[in-house]
Amino acid sequence: MKNTNILEKINSFLENYCPMADGVLLYGSASFNSKDYDDIDLLLIDKRFSYVSKLNIHFESNNFSVIKIPSNDIFNLLAQDFKESVYKNIFETGFIIRDDLKILKVVKQYICEDYPDTSDVLYYSRIKTIYKINECIAMLKKKLPSIEEYLTFNSCINFLIDFIILQDEKTHFSSFKHKSRYLHKYHTVFAIKITEIITVYKNNSKNGLVSLQIFLENLGIPKSLEYANDFLIDRLHGSGVQVLFFPKLFKDKINTNFYNGIKEINIPYYTFYIDENNIEESGTYFIFETHNYDAVSAIRKILSDNFTVELFFFPYNFSFNNEIKFGINHTVCQQLFFKIQPIVDNIIENGNHLTFIEFMIKEMHVDIDDIYNFYFYRTINNDHNLTLEEISNKQKKCKMPFKSIFEEILQEKKVYKINFDFQILKKIPRYFLLQTLDRTLSMLFLKDSIKVQIVKKLRNQYYENV
């Protein structure tokens, strides 16, 4: 992207609205060195952002559409976005304007080289779209009120265009504008035909419906197709890992018979709780290491013996891709969680969690101030009522005017025997280490507020006056 005029506009905007942003990515039509754009799309990342937000600002005769993302949540957002791939496309095609943390470069490289296979997502998206098209056609055959008929026809055309785009293995078009432009650019014949169908339908709905059905038949869209909205993968035995999810249910509310049953079948697992105000859906998660269908069947049997079906989802797929959360470090991090789960079980039963957290911090080579700031920025603005300046002022008040003696004290702490090479973690970027430690704390505690209290307590006791 060499359009200096666009860059000048962006720099002027940033100077006035967000001069401290750690990272800036330009995407959308303005990024293609084109004069034909409606607005300038920017994605901003910063550690001080507490949540994902979007805003539109008119500045110096230009419209800016801005997405603000906490820097530590980029991979969480990609994980949540796995099914739609909107953010994947933004990071993949966007141009880096600023990257102080070097994280945008890592994200782009990960998407191009290591992003998980999306064939299952595409497959189920096509099935869902075909089902929706047929649902609209069935409705249009009935006598409908004018407004309902108009909306149903528009929905049918929208799903039809989705189907055409999905044939190109694209899933990220969320706006009508981008769908229409893509269709005219890459499928001109289809765009012309759909325009003709719309014109015919406006003049005579019956003739328009016939034309639409003929076009659907020519595209090879079946007239009926079964569809389930749980997106379960058929090839369960090949995935290696399965997720069990209890929405809104605390770990301590899950009966002991279930835990005992899981331990009896001897399937490696780890479990954690996600609190509200996170990108991941709130509830209790179990991650199982399963390599055959018998293991999945055994887990199903234990679930059916202990819970009614409305309390859980198993296998739980696609809502949040756990693999993306830790990027290329996913396998290493997951093996760590499997290894420490027995220790976590013992700690939950017998206490002494602070000693274990201290041990993990030392072994993972994470700085106590980085951990504190991670939770500070994540939780300080949960009510979305503070400006960045107010957040920065609060953060300054929390800085310690003391010398850290954290490392010296940790040398004297208890050592846990874990069959895991912690030296591997030295190669992992800091933001992934923080996510890994956060997941470890989620295995111990139910609420983010407790994590903050624990980290604050640790931080405060490891400083001395200078």
Side-chain angles (χ1 to χ4, degrees), residues 243-299:
V243 180
L244 165 64
F245 176 49
F246 292 92
K248 309 293 183 183
L249 189 63
F250 290 162
K251 285 195 303 179
D252 58 355
K253 301 299 181 185
I254 298 174
N255 64 54
T256 55
N257 290 336
F258 171 75
Y259 282 105
N260 292 335
I262 293 299
K263 291 174 182 177
E264 284 177 9
I265 60 177
N266 199 29
I267 296 176
Y269 79 95
Y270 66 92
T271 180
F272 56 93
Y273 179 78
I274 298 297
D275 198 4
E276 296 178 351
N277 291 313
N278 284 277
I279 290 178
E280 293 159 271
E281 191 172 354
S282 176
T284 296
Y285 294 77
F286 285 79
I287 313 294
F288 295 100
E289 196 171 45
T290 57
H291 295 287
N292 56 67
Y293 196 82
D294 290 339
V296 175
S297 298
I299 296 169

Side-chain angles (χ1 to χ4, degrees), residues 49-191:
F49 297 154
S50 299
Y51 56 93
V52 178
S53 62
K54 300 179 181 180
L55 61 153
N56 293 297
I57 300 174
H58 187 77
F59 176 75
E60 293 182 351
S61 302
N62 292 281
N63 293 318
F64 287 84
S65 295
V66 181
I67 302 174
K68 295 162 62 176
I69 301 176
S71 54
N72 288 317
D73 266 336
I74 288 182
F75 280 84
N76 284 335
L77 189 63
L78 284 173
Q80 184 197 46
D81 182 55
F82 180 60
K83 192 171 70 173
E84 304 298 335
S85 296
V86 174
Y87 287 100
K88 171 184 178 287
N89 182 68
I90 288 174
F91 284 111
E92 187 175 24
T93 61
F95 291 87
I96 297 174
I97 305 296
R98 183 190 303 168
D99 193 14
D100 295 346
L101 302 176
K102 307 302 180 188
I103 189 173
L104 292 176
K105 182 180 178 181
V106 171
V107 172
K108 288 179 75 70
Q109 183 176 350
Y110 170 74
I111 288 174
C112 293
E113 298 178 5
D114 299 289
Y115 195 78
D117 177 37
T118 58
S119 58
D120 286 311
V121 172
L122 289 165
Y123 172 70
Y124 284 106
S125 294
R126 289 190 190 104
I127 290 178
K128 178 182 178 181
T129 303
I130 292 170
Y131 175 82
K132 291 293 186 181
I133 290 171
N134 284 306
E135 189 177 46
C136 289
I137 293 295
M139 290 295 294
L140 290 170
K141 289 180 179 179
K142 301 175 182 178
K143 181 67 176 176
L144 300 175
S146 297
I147 295 177
E148 186 177 347
E149 180 186 356
Y150 172 78
L151 294 174
T152 304
F153 178 74
N154 284 353
S155 295
C156 191
I157 295 298
N158 185 41
F159 291 130
L160 170 57
I161 295 172
D162 283 344
F163 176 83
I164 295 170
I165 294 174
L166 280 167
Q167 296 301 96
D168 293 344
E169 300 188 349
K170 306 289 185 182
T171 60
H172 58 268
F173 293 94
S174 57
S175 73
F176 297 142
K177 176 182 72 174
H178 291 124
K179 288 181 184 181
S180 175
R181 291 180 180 179
Y182 182 89
L183 191 70
H184 280 89
K185 184 174 182 178
Y186 296 103
H187 297 284
T188 307
V189 174
F190 289 161

